[in-house]
Amino acid sequence: MYLSSTKTIVFISGAFVSHLYWGKWLTFFENKGYKVVAPPWLHKNDSAANLREQNLRVKIGSISLFDLLCYYTEIIEKLPEKPILVGHSYGGLLVQLLVQKDLAEAGICINSFPPKGFTVLKFSFYKIILCFSCAIFSSKKTLLLSFENWKNLFFNDISNQEQKTEYDKFVIPESKKALRNLFSKQAKINFRKKHIPLFFISSSKDEIIPPKLVNWNFRKHRNLHSITCYKEFKNKNHFVILHYEWQEVAESIAKWIEKVI
């Protein structure tokens, strides 16, 4: 099915990485007949190499969850119609929050960060967020993900050479404020509210957002008045966007969109 080019998909990046990691996905969905866009986060419209330079980190350190929501709201409201949102990791949480604001036609959340609220399932996630190479509550405003954390938690089960190549190409400093905001009321979801179709995707080898946590999020959103779907992909890690079998996930999303839109 070749869809009208009036349909727009907005891809929302996760934390710690450049928006450029969506490159192959943009081509894939553009070939399906969609208009596609993957806006960089605030203050991140540059190469990973340049963004890792110290003089650019001050602006990045100012980014908050509220800022990101306002930023993506402004982008979406300039479009001729409500878009389909695809978010990965932190971007998956942004999708949920933007859907809550009635700004989308459908939402896909890939290995999504969970919304605010403690459960036993979230304990390991919060522990990881708090225990990165330098604590997010320290005086430094930004955090650069270490290669060790990248290869062990985010892009595991891949050859060391590929891990290093993708790390150098895409990993950038992140705002500690944006990470702290995961514990704030800005990250709260009203699960009782009726919502547009949502598709939650998990990866079996994700060490930071395990399938059980994604499934918990899916079940919290599920209600009699809304379409809510879930699928776990085997032998994929957190950064499934860059995985060598990424097309399996992209094709599943494309087929899901065809069914619900």
Side-chain angles (χ1 to χ4, degrees), residues 114-169:
K116 180 181 183 293
F118 181 81
T119 71
V120 174
L121 283 173
K122 293 183 186 179
F123 179 77
S124 62
F125 166 72
Y126 287 143
K127 183 178 179 181
I128 289 171
I129 291 296
L130 291 168
C131 295
F132 278 135
S133 56
C134 54
I136 64 173
F137 292 101
S138 71
S139 59
K140 293 182 179 179
K141 295 184 181 297
T142 60
L143 168 66
L144 182 65
L145 193 69
S146 70
F147 179 64
E148 288 300 310
N149 279 330
W150 168 257
K151 74 175 186 177
N152 293 328
L153 296 174
F154 287 85
F155 206 45
N156 51 298
D157 197 40
I158 300 293
S159 71
N160 192 75
Q161 182 56 53
E162 186 176 358
Q163 288 173 329
K164 188 66 169 66
T165 297
E166 303 292 35
Y167 179 88
D168 292 340
K169 190 184 298 183

